[in-house]
Amino acid sequence: MVTKSERYSVTDGTSIATNTSEKSFPTWMVWKKRRYVVAILAFFGFFNVYALRVNLSIAVVAMTQLREVVINGTTTHVREFDWDSKQQGFVLSSFFYGYILTQLIGGWLATKFGGKQIFGVGIAVTAALTVITPYVAKQSFYLLIAVRVIEGIFEGVTYPCIHAVWSEWAPPLERTRLATIGFSGSYVGTVVAMPLCALLADELGWESIFYVCGTSGLIWFVSWCLIISDSPSKDRHISQAELKYIQSSLGQQQKGRDIKHPWKSILTSMPVWAIVVGHFSENWGFYTLLTQLPTFMKDILQFELGATGIMAAIPYLTISVTTQLAGHAADWLQERKIFTTTQVRKIFNCGAYMAQTVFMITAAYLLSPVGTTVCLSLAVGLGGFAWAGFGVNHLDIAPQHASVLMGLSNTFATIPGIVSPIITGYIVTTPTAFEWQTVFFISSGVYLFGCIFYGIFASGELQPWAVDRSSRESVEIEEKKRGSENFAYTYD
């Protein structure tokens, strides 16, 4: 039966619910809306994801710094872990050796078994391994690297899986804000983890960093399992109004478990590669600073360990705010039809990369505590607008395949996490200001390339290969009946 209240646009892939808007609760009562409960729990999930990832960046400073010890009545300075810059680079990048392996696998598993389960297990196992990291580190340098690789394998499924969750829960005109609520947890986790880890290292020893972060992740996992359902239809606490709103908004974009991914079309699609390049570019600058900023601030800006944790967190505080603002602004511009989805994605993404290029270069020349911190805060912070571009773009062009598309883009976007710390380790050996300038110049060049490529090839439109055969056949039949190339059809 056809209803006039529910319409699905074939031309742009977005659903339009004219009389099915959710009216049960006021807009500000987000805790009454289950999709926002999912977003909030996803926020804390990514909070733990990055706390578990960034903790070693702070811990390694404490683990390798010179300490005064008395041996046979003689005071001397020793390091608990005598790792040179190259060894530290391998330790910091080892997580990503495993992380890169499970991006596509995670996306595929999410389409088969549901994003909720895989997302939760990935974080839980990483947290459990984090708890035993101090013991492992004291046993062997290579065993530590092995454990970090395994952590990366399990955490690698998290980003692809969350897109599988959003493909079930997020109405098209709320995609950006819901997704960015979750993604912003990554940056808030970094903001909290850096100074907290530095404080823990100073007060309780570097081992406490891993105990606290690991325990936090396990507590979150229990909460996620008890509160969140795999889809709205399986949620016992969702209101009928919200359930109908989500289902009618998603319409034919709702997916099943028997999806067949058109790999040839995916791998030859330029909008897909625009997302890949955009994701790679953002992560190069982000991972460079995520893994190296504490060391840079200690070596060049002469901050003490406690101050290093606080100052290194400022850029991530900035991006945690801008990500929220960008998500709401992007949806608002689409709702008001000020810009098309394609225009919104390109404006937010390319504008961010151009500004990040400028601020990264400026930071390389200033190299002063205040000026450099401001520039790096802006360079990192503007990445929040990029995430409102490429970060949600998978759901625009192929919502049914969004989890594997995120897996594909995040596979390439993990390469910076592996390569950047190693390159930095080889460049920064003395260390000198010139060496760190070189690191910043490389990041600026990557940002600029990402801006150009994404600006040319990105799209916000549903791709032809992303529409399943049955939908295409019904569209063709309807086109013949109406004799029109562009139309909107309705459904029950």
Side-chain angles (χ1 to χ4, degrees):
M1 179 179 178
V2 174
T3 64
K4 294 181 179 180
S5 62
E6 300 169 359
R7 309 180 67 215
Y8 178 82
S9 172
V10 175
T11 56
D12 64 4
T14 58
S15 302
I16 307 168
T18 56
N19 293 325
T20 58
S21 298
E22 185 189 9
K23 300 295 185 182
S24 300
F25 305 107
T27 303
W28 56 272
M29 296 180 67
V30 294
W31 62 89
K32 295 285 189 179
K33 302 176 181 180
R34 294 298 290 178
R35 63 191 184 279
Y36 282 94
V37 173
V38 174
I40 292 168
L41 265 292
F43 169 92
F44 285 108
F46 282 113
F47 178 101
N48 281 283
V49 162
Y50 265 74
L52 294 168
R53 190 180 304 186
V54 77
N55 53 23
L56 188 59
S57 298
I58 295 293
V60 75
V61 178
M63 295 164 73
T64 58
Q65 70 181 358
L66 288 170
R67 296 182 179 182
E68 285 188 3
V69 296
V70 178
I71 303 176
N72 297 326
T74 303
T75 301
T76 186
H77 292 81
V78 297
R79 292 183 174 88
E80 185 171 357
F81 295 88
D82 192 19
W83 300 334
D84 60 25
S85 63
K86 296 182 181 64
Q87 287 177 299
Q88 291 180 45
F90 279 110
V91 168
L92 291 173
S93 65
S94 59
F95 174 93
F96 299 100
Y97 303 157
Y99 189 76
I100 197 172
L101 298 176
T102 51
Q103 297 297 318
L104 280 172
I105 295 173
W108 180 81
L109 288 172
T111 62
K112 294 297 180 182
F113 304 106
K116 175 206 166 182
Q117 289 85 352
I118 310 301
F119 184 70
V121 169
I123 296 175
V125 175
T126 306
L129 292 173
T130 298
V131 172
I132 66 171
T133 295
Y135 172 80
V136 170
K138 293 175 183 179
Q139 302 307 306
S140 166
F141 172 78
Y142 296 102
L143 185 58
L144 173 61
I145 287 181
V147 168
R148 290 290 290 181
V149 170
I150 296 171
E151 288 183 23
I153 287 173
F154 279 92
E155 200 171 287
V157 304
T158 53
Y159 271 89
C161 285
I162 202 62
H163 267 4
V165 173
W166 296 135
S167 69
E168 297 277 4
W169 280 94
L173 293 180
E174 295 182 39
R175 278 175 183 157
T176 314
R177 76 190 75 169
L178 287 170
T180 52
I181 286 172
F183 289 146
S184 66
S186 303
Y187 311 120
V188 176
T190 305
V191 168
V192 174
M194 281 189 164
L196 177 61
C197 289
L199 178 63
L200 288 170
D202 280 340
E203 299 297 328
L204 301 175
W206 62 267
E207 297 92 339
S208 64
I209 293 174
F210 300 100
Y211 299 144
V212 171
C213 291
T215 301
S216 174
L218 293 173
I219 292 172
W220 171 86
F221 172 66
V222 174
S223 302
W224 176 258
C225 290
L226 294 176
I227 296 173
I228 302 303
S229 299
D230 199 38
S231 66
S233 61
K234 296 178 182 178
D235 194 314
R236 294 178 298 173
H237 304 288
I238 193 170
S239 68
Q240 285 300 310
E242 182 178 10
L243 177 60
K244 184 178 180 181
Y245 169 62
I246 293 173
Q247 291 180 334
S248 63
S249 296
L250 291 175
Q252 300 223 353
Q253 295 186 27
Q254 296 177 88
K255 64 183 185 64
R257 291 280 184 262
D258 58 346
I259 295 175
K260 294 183 179 180
H261 305 295
W263 289 109
K264 182 179 179 180
S265 297
I266 289 173
L267 295 176
T268 55
S269 171
M270 292 311 296
V272 169
W273 287 107
I275 296 173
V276 170
V277 171
H279 203 163
F280 178 94
S281 302
E282 174 60 25
N283 275 21
W284 184 281
F286 183 81
Y287 282 143
T288 297
L289 296 180
L290 182 70
T291 57
Q292 303 297 331
L293 194 54
T295 302
F296 165 73
M297 288 187 161
K298 178 177 178 292
D299 291 345
I300 302 301
L301 304 184
Q302 305 299 314
F303 287 121
E304 296 298 324
L305 180 59
T308 295
I310 296 172
M311 298 305 293
I314 292 176
Y316 305 101
L317 176 61
T318 307
I319 195 172
S320 67
V321 175
T322 59
T323 303
Q324 295 291 329
L325 294 175
H328 284 79
D331 281 347
W332 183 85
L333 290 170
Q334 292 177 82
E335 288 172 356
R336 298 297 187 278
K337 298 183 179 180
I338 297 173
F339 294 115
T340 65
T341 301
T342 299
Q343 290 170 334
V344 167
R345 301 296 179 231
K346 288 187 176 184
I347 290 170
F348 278 57
N349 208 89
C350 298
Y353 286 170
M354 285 190 290
Q356 286 173 301
T357 300
V358 171
F359 286 116
M360 192 70 81
I361 292 175
T362 305
Y365 279 106
L366 288 178
L367 294 179
S368 65
V370 175
T372 300
T373 300
V374 170
C375 287
L376 291 180
S377 296
L378 291 171
V380 173
L382 290 168
F385 288 89
W387 273 97
F390 77 85
V392 191
N393 205 181
H394 317 74
L395 291 160
D396 299 323
I397 66 172
Q400 294 186 339
H401 310 287
S403 61
V404 295
L405 293 185
M406 174 58 93
L408 177 65
S409 71
N410 213 22
T411 296
F412 285 90
T414 302
I415 294 173
I418 299 172
V419 176
S420 176
I422 295 175
I423 290 178
T424 302
Y426 277 94
I427 293 174
V428 181
T429 55
T430 311
T432 63
F434 175 75
E435 291 170 346
W436 280 105
Q437 285 176 335
T438 303
V439 172
F440 292 155
F441 289 150
I442 292 172
S443 295
S444 299
V446 174
Y447 277 135
L448 185 59
F449 174 74
C451 172
I452 295 171
F453 195 95
Y454 191 89
I456 295 173
F457 296 111
S459 173
E461 304 302 320
L462 182 69
Q463 299 301 293
W465 49 263
V467 182
D468 62 72
R469 182 177 297 177
S470 61
S471 296
R472 281 198 297 268
E473 289 175 352
S474 64
V475 169
E476 291 170 359
I477 293 171
E478 193 70 23
E479 283 180 337
K480 290 178 181 179
K481 288 181 179 179
R482 301 192 182 191
S484 172
E485 294 183 355
N486 291 324
F487 66 93
Y489 68 85
T490 61
Y491 62 89
D492 248 348

